[in-house]
Amino acid sequence: MMDAFRIPADDRFILIWEHSPEHMIQDRTFFGIERSDKSIFLQIVVNHRPVEQKVSFYEFVVKNLGNAPGLRQEDILIGIVEVAPENWWAFARNVNASGIDDRASPAA
């Protein structure tokens, strides 16, 4: 996320939930592609990002999860949920008059 979305190293929060295969309902042939019990679903919540950054993020994740732990690209599903900057809050956050976090700008 830091590389693809240009997020500062101290600006990330990660929650991980693991579920056994019997607690994951998935279409084994979604888009005509066979998926396995090793399928993963990633949901990322971010401020609005340009399409190019999202595509870069998808490619980066698939490449890295293919290298380690060796997941097949067919077993990776990614969803990005975009939240407006004014809908985020954390103590000491610097939001300017336009509702934009100055640290999140490309120049940061």
Side-chain angles (χ1 to χ4, degrees):
M1 287 183 60
M2 293 181 331
D3 291 337
F5 291 151
R6 296 191 283 271
I7 296 172
D10 66 344
D11 188 11
R12 58 194 165 118
F13 302 86
I14 300 171
L15 300 172
I16 299 173
W17 284 282
E18 294 186 36
H19 301 280
S20 58
E22 64 269 10
H23 292 114
M24 292 176 56
I25 299 170
Q26 66 171 323
D27 185 331
R28 296 288 188 161
T29 57
F30 184 63
F31 288 141
I33 305 296
E34 287 289 330
R35 287 171 176 76
S36 75
D37 284 339
K38 294 182 180 182
S39 291
I40 66 165
F41 303 91
L42 301 174
Q43 183 174 14
I44 310 298
V45 179
V46 297
N47 289 336
H48 177 74
R49 300 292 174 179
V51 172
E52 302 79 30
Q53 282 187 2
K54 290 185 260 188
V55 170
S56 174
F57 176 76
Y58 301 142
E59 292 170 350
F60 185 81
V61 168
V62 170
K63 178 182 174 189
N64 282 301
L65 289 176
N67 291 335
L71 291 176
R72 300 173 334 130
Q73 64 182 3
E74 297 87 351
D75 288 333
I76 302 170
L77 177 69
I78 303 170
I80 292 180
V81 177
E82 293 181 309
V83 178
E86 66 271 14
N87 292 332
W88 288 87
W89 182 88
F91 183 76
R93 184 166 178 237
N94 183 24
V95 179
N96 66 28
S98 298
I100 304 298
D101 184 341
D102 291 331
R103 289 179 17 145
S105 67

Coordinates of all heavy atoms in Angstrom, one line a residue, residues 8-95:
P8 N 2.4 7.2 3.7 CA 3.5 7.3 4.6 C 3.6 6.0 5.5 O 2.6 5.4 5.8 CB 3.2 8.5 5.5 CG 2.3 9.3 4.7 CD 1.4 8.3 3.9
A9 N 4.8 5.6 5.9 CA 5.0 4.4 6.6 C 4.3 4.4 8.0 O 3.9 3.3 8.5 CB 6.5 4.2 6.9
D10 N 4.0 5.6 8.5 CA 3.4 5.6 9.8 C 1.9 5.9 9.7 O 1.2 6.4 10.6 CB 4.0 6.7 10.7 CG 3.8 8.1 10.2 OD1 3.5 8.3 9.0 OD2 4.0 9.1 11.0
D11 N 1.3 5.6 8.5 CA -0.1 5.9 8.2 C -0.8 4.7 7.7 O -1.3 4.6 6.6 CB -0.2 7.1 7.2 CG -1.6 7.5 7.0 OD1 -2.5 7.2 7.8 OD2 -1.8 8.3 6.1
R12 N -0.8 3.6 8.5 CA -1.5 2.4 8.1 C -2.0 1.7 9.3 O -1.4 1.7 10.4 CB -0.6 1.5 7.2 CG 0.7 1.1 7.9 CD 1.7 0.5 7.0 NE 2.9 0.5 7.6 CZ 3.6 -0.6 7.9 NH1 3.1 -1.8 7.5 NH2 4.7 -0.6 8.6
F13 N -3.1 1.0 9.1 CA -3.8 0.3 10.1 C -4.3 -1.0 9.4 O -4.9 -1.0 8.4 CB -5.0 1.0 10.7 CG -4.6 2.3 11.3 CD1 -4.5 3.5 10.5 CD2 -4.2 2.4 12.6 CE1 -4.1 4.7 11.0 CE2 -3.9 3.7 13.2 CZ -3.8 4.8 12.4
I14 N -3.9 -2.2 10.0 CA -4.2 -3.4 9.4 C -5.0 -4.3 10.3 O -4.6 -4.5 11.5 CB -2.9 -4.1 8.9 CG1 -2.1 -3.2 7.9 CG2 -3.2 -5.5 8.3 CD1 -0.7 -3.7 7.6
L15 N -6.1 -4.9 9.8 CA -6.8 -5.9 10.6 C -6.8 -7.1 9.7 O -7.1 -7.1 8.5 CB -8.3 -5.4 10.8 CG -8.5 -4.1 11.5 CD1 -9.9 -3.7 11.5 CD2 -8.0 -4.3 13.0
I16 N -6.6 -8.3 10.4 CA -6.5 -9.5 9.6 C -7.5 -10.5 10.3 O -7.5 -10.7 11.5 CB -5.1 -10.1 9.6 CG1 -4.2 -9.2 9.0 CG2 -5.1 -11.5 9.0 CD1 -2.7 -9.6 9.0
W17 N -8.4 -11.0 9.5 CA -9.3 -12.1 10.0 C -9.1 -13.3 9.1 O -9.1 -13.2 7.9 CB -10.8 -11.7 9.8 CG -11.3 -10.7 10.8 CD1 -11.7 -10.9 12.1 CD2 -11.5 -9.3 10.5 NE1 -12.1 -9.8 12.6 CE2 -12.0 -8.7 11.7 CE3 -11.3 -8.4 9.5 CZ2 -12.3 -7.4 11.9 CZ3 -11.7 -7.1 9.6 CH2 -12.1 -6.6 10.8
E18 N -8.8 -14.4 9.8 CA -8.7 -15.7 9.0 C -9.9 -16.5 9.3 O -10.4 -16.6 10.4 CB -7.4 -16.4 9.5 CG -6.1 -15.6 9.2 CD -4.9 -16.4 9.5 OE1 -4.9 -17.6 9.3 OE2 -3.9 -15.7 9.9
H19 N -10.4 -17.2 8.2 CA -11.5 -18.0 8.3 C -11.2 -19.4 7.7 O -10.5 -19.5 6.7 CB -12.7 -17.4 7.5 CG -13.1 -16.1 7.9 ND1 -13.9 -15.9 9.1 CD2 -12.8 -14.8 7.5 CE1 -14.1 -14.6 9.3 NE2 -13.4 -13.9 8.3
S20 N -11.7 -20.4 8.2 CA -11.5 -21.8 7.7 C -12.4 -21.9 6.4 O -13.4 -21.1 6.2 CB -11.9 -22.8 8.7 OG -13.3 -22.6 9.1
P21 N -12.0 -22.8 5.5 CA -12.8 -22.9 4.2 C -14.3 -23.1 4.4 O -15.0 -22.5 3.6 CB -12.1 -24.1 3.6 CG -10.7 -24.2 4.1 CD -10.9 -23.7 5.6
E22 N -14.7 -23.8 5.5 CA -16.1 -24.0 5.6 C -16.9 -22.7 6.0 O -18.1 -22.6 6.0 CB -16.4 -25.1 6.6 CG -16.0 -24.9 8.0 CD -14.5 -25.4 8.3 OE1 -13.8 -25.7 7.4 OE2 -14.2 -25.3 9.5
H23 N -16.1 -21.6 6.4 CA -16.7 -20.4 6.8 C -16.5 -19.3 5.7 O -16.8 -18.1 5.9 CB -16.1 -19.8 8.1 CG -16.6 -20.7 9.2 ND1 -15.7 -21.4 10.0 CD2 -17.8 -20.9 9.8 CE1 -16.4 -22.0 10.9 NE2 -17.7 -21.7 10.8
M24 N -16.1 -19.8 4.5 CA -16.0 -18.9 3.3 C -16.9 -19.4 2.2 O -16.7 -20.5 1.8 CB -14.5 -18.8 2.9 CG -13.6 -18.1 3.8 SD -11.9 -18.1 3.4 CE -11.9 -17.4 1.8
I25 N -17.8 -18.6 1.8 CA -18.7 -19.0 0.7 C -18.1 -18.3 -0.6 O -18.0 -17.1 -0.6 CB -20.1 -18.6 1.0 CG1 -20.6 -19.3 2.2 CG2 -21.0 -18.9 -0.3 CD1 -22.0 -18.8 2.7
Q26 N -17.8 -19.1 -1.6 CA -17.3 -18.5 -2.8 C -17.7 -19.3 -4.0 O -17.9 -20.5 -3.9 CB -15.8 -18.4 -2.8 CG -15.1 -19.8 -2.7 CD -13.6 -19.7 -2.9 OE1 -13.1 -18.9 -3.7 NE2 -12.9 -20.6 -2.2
D27 N -17.9 -18.7 -5.1 CA -18.2 -19.4 -6.3 C -16.9 -19.9 -6.9 O -16.0 -19.1 -7.2 CB -18.8 -18.4 -7.3 CG -19.3 -19.0 -8.6 OD1 -18.7 -20.1 -9.0 OD2 -20.2 -18.5 -9.2
R28 N -16.8 -21.2 -6.9 CA -15.5 -21.9 -7.4 C -15.2 -21.6 -8.8 O -14.0 -21.8 -9.2 CB -15.6 -23.4 -7.2 CG -15.7 -23.8 -5.8 CD -14.4 -23.6 -5.1 NE -14.5 -24.2 -3.7 CZ -13.5 -24.5 -3.0 NH1 -12.3 -24.3 -3.5 NH2 -13.6 -25.0 -1.9
T29 N -16.1 -21.1 -9.6 CA -15.8 -20.8 -11.0 C -16.3 -19.4 -11.4 O -16.7 -19.2 -12.6 CB -16.5 -21.9 -11.9 OG1 -18.0 -21.8 -11.6 CG2 -16.0 -23.3 -11.7
F30 N -16.2 -18.5 -10.5 CA -16.5 -17.1 -10.8 C -15.7 -16.6 -12.0 O -14.5 -16.8 -12.1 CB -16.2 -16.2 -9.6 CG -16.5 -14.8 -9.7 CD1 -17.9 -14.4 -9.9 CD2 -15.6 -13.8 -9.6 CE1 -18.2 -13.0 -10.0 CE2 -15.9 -12.4 -9.7 CZ -17.2 -12.1 -9.9
F31 N -16.3 -16.0 -13.0 CA -15.7 -15.6 -14.3 C -15.1 -16.8 -15.0 O -14.2 -16.6 -15.8 CB -14.6 -14.5 -14.1 CG -15.1 -13.2 -13.7 CD1 -14.4 -12.4 -12.8 CD2 -16.2 -12.6 -14.3 CE1 -14.9 -11.1 -12.5 CE2 -16.7 -11.4 -14.0 CZ -16.0 -10.6 -13.0
G32 N -15.6 -18.0 -14.7 CA -15.1 -19.2 -15.4 C -13.7 -19.6 -15.0 O -13.1 -20.4 -15.7
I33 N -13.2 -19.1 -13.9 CA -11.9 -19.5 -13.4 C -12.0 -20.4 -12.2 O -12.7 -20.1 -11.2 CB -11.1 -18.2 -12.9 CG1 -11.0 -17.2 -14.1 CG2 -9.7 -18.6 -12.4 CD1 -10.3 -17.7 -15.3
E34 N -11.3 -21.5 -12.2 CA -11.3 -22.5 -11.0 C -10.6 -21.9 -9.9 O -9.4 -21.4 -10.0 CB -10.7 -23.8 -11.4 CG -11.5 -24.6 -12.3 CD -12.8 -25.2 -11.6 OE1 -12.7 -25.5 -10.4 OE2 -13.8 -25.4 -12.3
R35 N -11.2 -21.9 -8.7 CA -10.6 -21.4 -7.5 C -10.4 -22.5 -6.5 O -11.2 -23.5 -6.5 CB -11.4 -20.2 -6.9 CG -11.2 -19.0 -7.8 CD -12.1 -17.8 -7.4 NE -11.7 -16.7 -8.3 CZ -12.0 -16.6 -9.6 NH1 -12.7 -17.5 -10.2 NH2 -11.7 -15.5 -10.2
S36 N -9.5 -22.4 -5.6 CA -9.2 -23.5 -4.6 C -9.6 -23.1 -3.2 O -10.0 -21.9 -2.9 CB -7.7 -23.8 -4.6 OG -6.9 -22.8 -4.0
D37 N -9.3 -24.0 -2.2 CA -9.6 -23.7 -0.8 C -8.6 -22.7 -0.3 O -8.7 -22.2 0.8 CB -9.4 -25.0 0.0 CG -10.7 -25.9 -0.1 OD1 -11.7 -25.3 -0.5 OD2 -10.6 -27.1 0.2
K38 N -7.5 -22.4 -1.0 CA -6.5 -21.4 -0.6 C -6.9 -20.0 -1.0 O -6.1 -19.0 -0.9 CB -5.2 -21.8 -1.2 CG -4.6 -23.1 -0.6 CD -3.3 -23.4 -1.1 CE -2.8 -24.7 -0.5 NZ -1.5 -25.0 -0.9
S39 N -8.1 -19.8 -1.6 CA -8.5 -18.4 -2.0 C -8.5 -17.4 -0.8 O -8.7 -17.8 0.3 CB -9.9 -18.5 -2.5 OG -10.0 -19.2 -3.7
I40 N -8.1 -16.2 -1.2 CA -8.1 -15.1 -0.2 C -8.9 -14.0 -0.7 O -9.0 -13.8 -1.9 CB -6.7 -14.7 0.2 CG1 -6.0 -14.0 -0.9 CG2 -5.9 -15.8 0.8 CD1 -4.8 -13.2 -0.5
F41 N -9.5 -13.2 0.2 CA -10.3 -12.1 -0.1 C -9.6 -10.9 0.6 O -9.5 -10.9 1.9 CB -11.7 -12.2 0.3 CG -12.4 -13.4 -0.3 CD1 -12.4 -14.6 0.3 CD2 -13.0 -13.3 -1.6 CE1 -13.0 -15.7 -0.3 CE2 -13.7 -14.4 -2.1 CZ -13.6 -15.6 -1.5
L42 N -9.2 -9.9 -0.1 CA -8.6 -8.7 0.5 C -9.6 -7.5 0.4 O -10.1 -7.3 -0.7 CB -7.3 -8.3 -0.1 CG -6.2 -9.4 -0.1 CD1 -5.0 -8.9 -0.9 CD2 -5.8 -9.6 1.3
Q43 N -9.9 -6.9 1.5 CA -10.7 -5.7 1.4 C -9.9 -4.5 1.9 O -9.4 -4.6 3.1 CB -12.0 -5.8 2.1 CG -12.9 -4.5 2.0 CD -14.2 -4.7 2.7 OE1 -14.5 -5.6 3.5 NE2 -15.1 -3.9 2.3
I44 N -9.7 -3.5 1.1 CA -8.8 -2.4 1.5 C -9.7 -1.1 1.6 O -10.5 -0.9 0.7 CB -7.7 -2.1 0.4 CG1 -7.0 -3.4 0.1 CG2 -6.8 -1.0 0.8 CD1 -6.2 -4.0 1.2
V45 N -9.6 -0.4 2.7 CA -10.3 0.9 2.8 C -9.3 2.0 2.7 O -8.3 2.1 3.4 CB -11.0 0.9 4.2 CG1 -11.8 2.2 4.3 CG2 -12.0 -0.3 4.3
V46 N -9.5 2.9 1.7 CA -8.6 4.0 1.5 C -9.4 5.3 1.1 O -10.6 5.2 0.8 CB -7.6 3.7 0.3 CG1 -6.8 2.6 0.6 CG2 -8.4 3.5 -1.0
N47 N -8.8 6.4 1.1 CA -9.3 7.6 0.5 C -9.4 7.4 -1.0 O -8.7 6.5 -1.5 CB -8.5 8.9 0.8 CG -8.5 9.3 2.3 OD1 -9.5 9.0 3.0 ND2 -7.5 9.9 2.7
H48 N -10.1 8.2 -1.7 CA -10.2 8.1 -3.2 C -8.8 8.0 -3.8 O -7.9 8.8 -3.4 CB -11.0 9.2 -3.8 CG -11.0 9.2 -5.2 ND1 -11.8 8.3 -5.9 CD2 -10.4 9.9 -6.2 CE1 -11.7 8.4 -7.2 NE2 -10.8 9.4 -7.4
R49 N -8.6 7.1 -4.7 CA -7.3 6.9 -5.4 C -7.6 6.9 -6.9 O -8.6 6.3 -7.3 CB -6.6 5.6 -5.0 CG -6.3 5.5 -3.5 CD -5.3 6.5 -3.2 NE -5.1 6.5 -1.7 CZ -4.2 7.2 -1.1 NH1 -3.4 8.0 -1.7 NH2 -4.1 7.2 0.2
P50 N -6.7 7.4 -7.7 CA -6.8 7.3 -9.2 C -6.8 5.8 -9.6 O -6.2 5.0 -9.0 CB -5.6 8.0 -9.7 CG -5.1 8.8 -8.6 CD -5.5 8.1 -7.3
V51 N -7.4 5.5 -10.7 CA -7.5 4.2 -11.3 C -6.1 3.6 -11.5 O -5.8 2.5 -11.1 CB -8.2 4.2 -12.6 CG1 -8.1 2.8 -13.3 CG2 -9.7 4.5 -12.4
E52 N -5.1 4.4 -11.9 CA -3.7 3.9 -12.1 C -3.1 3.4 -10.8 O -2.4 2.4 -10.8 CB -2.8 5.0 -12.7 CG -3.3 5.7 -14.0 CD -4.4 6.7 -13.8 OE1 -4.5 7.4 -12.8 OE2 -5.3 6.8 -14.8
Q53 N -3.4 4.1 -9.7 CA -2.9 3.6 -8.4 C -3.5 2.3 -8.0 O -2.9 1.4 -7.5 CB -3.1 4.7 -7.3 CG -2.1 5.8 -7.4 CD -2.2 6.7 -6.2 OE1 -3.0 6.5 -5.3 NE2 -1.4 7.8 -6.2
K54 N -4.8 2.2 -8.3 CA -5.5 1.0 -7.9 C -5.0 -0.2 -8.7 O -4.7 -1.3 -8.2 CB -7.0 1.1 -8.1 CG -7.6 2.0 -7.0 CD -9.1 2.1 -7.1 CE -9.5 3.3 -7.8 NZ -11.0 3.6 -7.8
V55 N -4.8 0.0 -10.0 CA -4.3 -1.1 -10.9 C -2.9 -1.5 -10.4 O -2.5 -2.7 -10.4 CB -4.3 -0.6 -12.4 CG1 -3.5 -1.6 -13.2 CG2 -5.8 -0.5 -12.9
S56 N -2.1 -0.5 -10.1 CA -0.7 -0.8 -9.6 C -0.8 -1.6 -8.3 O 0.0 -2.5 -8.1 CB 0.0 0.6 -9.4 OG 1.3 0.4 -8.8
F57 N -1.7 -1.2 -7.4 CA -1.8 -1.9 -6.2 C -2.2 -3.4 -6.5 O -1.7 -4.3 -5.9 CB -2.9 -1.3 -5.3 CG -3.2 -2.0 -4.1 CD1 -2.3 -2.0 -3.0 CD2 -4.4 -2.7 -3.9 CE1 -2.6 -2.7 -1.8 CE2 -4.6 -3.4 -2.8 CZ -3.7 -3.4 -1.7
Y58 N -3.2 -3.6 -7.3 CA -3.7 -5.0 -7.7 C -2.5 -5.8 -8.2 O -2.3 -6.9 -7.7 CB -4.8 -5.0 -8.7 CG -6.0 -4.2 -8.4 CD1 -6.7 -3.5 -9.3 CD2 -6.6 -4.3 -7.1 CE1 -7.9 -2.9 -9.0 CE2 -7.7 -3.6 -6.8 CZ -8.4 -2.9 -7.8 OH -9.5 -2.2 -7.5
E59 N -1.7 -5.3 -9.1 CA -0.6 -6.0 -9.7 C 0.5 -6.3 -8.7 O 1.0 -7.4 -8.6 CB 0.0 -5.2 -10.9 CG -1.0 -5.1 -12.0 CD -0.5 -4.1 -13.1 OE1 0.4 -3.3 -12.9 OE2 -1.1 -4.1 -14.2
F60 N 0.7 -5.3 -7.8 CA 1.8 -5.5 -6.7 C 1.4 -6.6 -5.8 O 2.2 -7.5 -5.4 CB 1.9 -4.1 -6.0 CG 3.0 -4.1 -5.0 CD1 4.3 -4.0 -5.3 CD2 2.7 -4.3 -3.6 CE1 5.3 -4.0 -4.4 CE2 3.7 -4.3 -2.7 CZ 5.0 -4.1 -3.0
V61 N 0.1 -6.6 -5.3 CA -0.4 -7.6 -4.4 C -0.3 -9.0 -5.0 O 0.2 -9.9 -4.4 CB -1.8 -7.3 -3.9 CG1 -2.5 -8.5 -3.2 CG2 -1.8 -6.0 -3.1
V62 N -0.8 -9.1 -6.2 CA -0.9 -10.4 -6.9 C 0.6 -11.0 -7.1 O 0.8 -12.1 -6.8 CB -1.6 -10.4 -8.2 CG1 -1.5 -11.7 -9.0 CG2 -3.1 -10.1 -7.9
K63 N 1.5 -10.1 -7.5 CA 2.9 -10.5 -7.7 C 3.5 -11.0 -6.4 O 4.1 -12.0 -6.3 CB 3.7 -9.4 -8.3 CG 5.1 -9.7 -8.5 CD 5.9 -8.5 -9.0 CE 7.4 -8.8 -9.1 NZ 8.2 -7.7 -9.4
N64 N 3.3 -10.2 -5.4 CA 3.9 -10.5 -4.1 C 3.3 -11.7 -3.4 O 4.0 -12.6 -2.8 CB 3.9 -9.3 -3.1 CG 5.0 -8.3 -3.5 OD1 6.2 -8.7 -3.5 ND2 4.6 -7.1 -3.9
L65 N 2.0 -11.9 -3.5 CA 1.4 -13.1 -2.9 C 1.7 -14.3 -3.7 O 1.7 -15.4 -3.2 CB -0.1 -12.9 -2.8 CG -0.5 -11.9 -1.7 CD1 -2.1 -11.7 -1.7 CD2 -0.1 -12.4 -0.3
G66 N 2.0 -14.1 -5.0 CA 2.5 -15.3 -5.8 C 3.9 -15.7 -5.4 O 4.2 -16.9 -5.4
N67 N 4.7 -14.7 -5.1 CA 6.1 -15.1 -4.7 C 6.1 -15.7 -3.3 O 6.8 -16.7 -3.0 CB 7.0 -13.8 -4.7 CG 7.2 -13.3 -6.1 OD1 7.2 -14.1 -7.1 ND2 7.5 -12.0 -6.2
A68 N 5.4 -15.1 -2.3 CA 5.4 -15.6 -1.0 C 4.1 -15.2 -0.4 O 3.8 -14.0 -0.3 CB 6.5 -15.1 -0.1
P69 N 3.2 -16.1 -0.1 CA 3.4 -17.5 0.2 C 3.1 -18.5 -1.0 O 3.0 -19.7 -0.8 CB 2.3 -17.8 1.3 CG 1.2 -16.9 0.9 CD 1.9 -15.6 0.3
G70 N 3.1 -18.0 -2.2 CA 3.0 -18.9 -3.4 C 1.5 -19.1 -3.8 O 1.2 -20.1 -4.3
L71 N 0.7 -18.0 -3.6 CA -0.7 -18.1 -4.0 C -0.8 -18.0 -5.5 O -0.1 -17.2 -6.2 CB -1.6 -17.1 -3.3 CG -1.8 -17.2 -1.8 CD1 -2.5 -15.9 -1.3 CD2 -2.5 -18.4 -1.5
R72 N -1.8 -18.7 -6.1 CA -2.1 -18.6 -7.5 C -2.9 -17.3 -7.7 O -3.7 -16.9 -6.8 CB -3.0 -19.7 -8.0 CG -2.4 -21.1 -7.9 CD -3.4 -22.2 -8.2 NE -4.8 -21.9 -8.1 CZ -5.7 -22.1 -9.0 NH1 -5.4 -22.6 -10.2 NH2 -7.0 -21.8 -8.7
Q73 N -2.7 -16.6 -8.8 CA -3.4 -15.3 -9.0 C -4.9 -15.6 -9.1 O -5.8 -14.7 -8.7 CB -2.9 -14.6 -10.2 CG -3.1 -15.4 -11.5 CD -2.6 -14.6 -12.7 OE1 -2.0 -13.6 -12.6 NE2 -2.7 -15.2 -13.9
E74 N -5.3 -16.8 -9.5 CA -6.7 -17.1 -9.6 C -7.4 -17.2 -8.2 O -8.6 -17.2 -8.1 CB -6.9 -18.5 -10.3 CG -6.4 -18.5 -11.7 CD -5.0 -18.8 -11.9 OE1 -4.2 -18.9 -10.9 OE2 -4.5 -19.0 -13.1
D75 N -6.6 -17.3 -7.2 CA -7.2 -17.5 -5.8 C -7.1 -16.2 -5.0 O -7.3 -16.1 -3.8 CB -6.4 -18.5 -5.0 CG -6.7 -19.9 -5.5 OD1 -7.8 -20.2 -6.0 OD2 -5.8 -20.8 -5.4
I76 N -6.9 -15.0 -5.7 CA -6.9 -13.7 -5.0 C -8.0 -12.9 -5.5 O -8.2 -12.6 -6.7 CB -5.5 -13.0 -5.3 CG1 -4.4 -13.9 -4.8 CG2 -5.5 -11.7 -4.6 CD1 -3.0 -13.5 -5.3
L77 N -8.8 -12.4 -4.6 CA -9.9 -11.4 -4.9 C -9.7 -10.2 -4.1 O -9.5 -10.3 -2.9 CB -11.3 -12.0 -4.6 CG -12.5 -11.1 -4.8 CD1 -12.7 -10.9 -6.3 CD2 -13.7 -11.7 -4.2
I78 N -9.6 -9.0 -4.7 CA -9.4 -7.8 -4.0 C -10.5 -6.8 -4.2 O -11.0 -6.6 -5.4 CB -8.1 -7.1 -4.5 CG1 -6.9 -8.1 -4.4 CG2 -7.8 -5.8 -3.8 CD1 -5.6 -7.6 -5.1
G79 N -10.9 -6.2 -3.2 CA -12.0 -5.1 -3.2 C -11.5 -3.9 -2.5 O -10.9 -4.0 -1.4
I80 N -11.6 -2.7 -3.2 CA -11.2 -1.5 -2.6 C -12.5 -0.7 -2.2 O -13.3 -0.5 -3.1 CB -10.3 -0.7 -3.5 CG1 -9.0 -1.4 -3.6 CG2 -10.1 0.8 -3.0 CD1 -8.0 -0.7 -4.5
V81 N -12.6 -0.2 -1.0 CA -13.7 0.6 -0.5 C -13.1 2.0 -0.3 O -12.2 2.2 0.5 CB -14.2 0.1 0.8 CG1 -15.3 1.0 1.3 CG2 -14.7 -1.3 0.7
E82 N -13.6 2.9 -1.1 CA -13.1 4.3 -1.0 C -14.0 5.1 -0.1 O -15.2 5.1 -0.2 CB -13.0 5.0 -2.4 CG -12.0 4.3 -3.3 CD -12.0 4.9 -4.7 OE1 -13.0 5.1 -5.3 OE2 -10.8 5.3 -5.1
V83 N -13.3 5.8 0.9 CA -14.0 6.7 1.8 C -13.5 8.1 1.7 O -12.3 8.3 1.6 CB -13.7 6.1 3.3 CG1 -14.4 7.0 4.3 CG2 -14.1 4.7 3.4
A84 N -14.4 9.0 1.6 CA -14.0 10.4 1.5 C -13.1 10.9 2.6 O -13.3 10.4 3.8 CB -15.2 11.3 1.4
P85 N -12.1 11.7 2.3 CA -11.1 12.1 3.4 C -11.8 12.7 4.6 O -11.3 12.5 5.7 CB -10.3 13.2 2.7 CG -10.4 12.9 1.2 CD -11.8 12.3 1.0
E86 N -12.9 13.4 4.5 CA -13.6 14.0 5.6 C -14.3 13.0 6.5 O -14.7 13.3 7.6 CB -14.6 15.1 5.2 CG -15.7 14.6 4.4 CD -15.6 14.5 2.9 OE1 -14.4 14.6 2.4 OE2 -16.6 14.3 2.2
N87 N -14.3 11.7 6.1 CA -14.9 10.6 6.9 C -13.9 9.8 7.7 O -14.3 8.8 8.2 CB -15.7 9.7 5.9 CG -16.9 10.4 5.4 OD1 -17.5 11.4 6.0 ND2 -17.4 10.0 4.2
W88 N -12.7 10.3 7.7 CA -11.6 9.6 8.5 C -11.3 10.5 9.7 O -11.3 11.8 9.6 CB -10.3 9.5 7.7 CG -10.4 8.5 6.6 CD1 -10.8 8.7 5.3 CD2 -9.9 7.1 6.7 NE1 -10.7 7.5 4.6 CE2 -10.1 6.6 5.4 CE3 -9.4 6.4 7.7 CZ2 -9.8 5.3 5.1 CZ3 -9.1 5.1 7.4 CH2 -9.3 4.5 6.1
W89 N -11.0 9.9 10.8 CA -10.5 10.7 11.9 C -9.5 9.9 12.7 O -9.6 8.7 12.9 CB -11.6 11.1 12.9 CG -11.1 12.0 14.0 CD1 -11.0 13.3 14.0 CD2 -10.6 11.6 15.2 NE1 -10.5 13.8 15.1 CE2 -10.2 12.7 15.9 CE3 -10.4 10.3 15.9 CZ2 -9.7 12.7 17.2 CZ3 -9.9 10.3 17.1 CH2 -9.5 11.5 17.8
A90 N -8.4 10.6 13.1 CA -7.5 10.1 14.1 C -6.8 11.3 14.8 O -6.6 12.3 14.2 CB -6.4 9.3 13.4
F91 N -6.6 11.1 16.1 CA -6.0 12.2 16.8 C -4.8 12.7 16.1 O -3.9 12.0 15.7 CB -5.7 11.8 18.3 CG -5.2 12.9 19.1 CD1 -6.1 13.9 19.6 CD2 -3.9 13.0 19.4 CE1 -5.6 15.0 20.3 CE2 -3.4 14.1 20.1 CZ -4.2 15.0 20.6
A92 N -4.6 14.1 16.0 CA -3.4 14.7 15.5 C -3.4 14.7 13.9 O -2.4 15.1 13.3 CB -2.1 14.2 16.0
R93 N -4.5 14.3 13.3 CA -4.6 14.3 11.9 C -4.7 15.8 11.4 O -5.4 16.6 12.0 CB -5.8 13.6 11.4 CG -5.9 13.5 9.9 CD -6.9 12.4 9.5 NE -7.0 12.4 8.1 CZ -8.1 12.6 7.4 NH1 -9.2 12.8 8.0 NH2 -8.1 12.6 6.1
N94 N -4.0 16.1 10.3 CA -3.9 17.5 9.8 C -4.8 17.6 8.6 O -4.4 17.3 7.5 CB -2.5 17.9 9.5 CG -2.4 19.3 9.1 OD1 -3.3 20.1 9.4 ND2 -1.3 19.6 8.3
V95 N -6.1 18.0 8.8 CA -7.0 18.1 7.7 C -7.1 19.6 7.3 O -7.4 20.4 8.2 CB -8.4 17.6 8.0 CG1 -9.3 17.7 6.9 CG2 -8.2 16.1 8.4

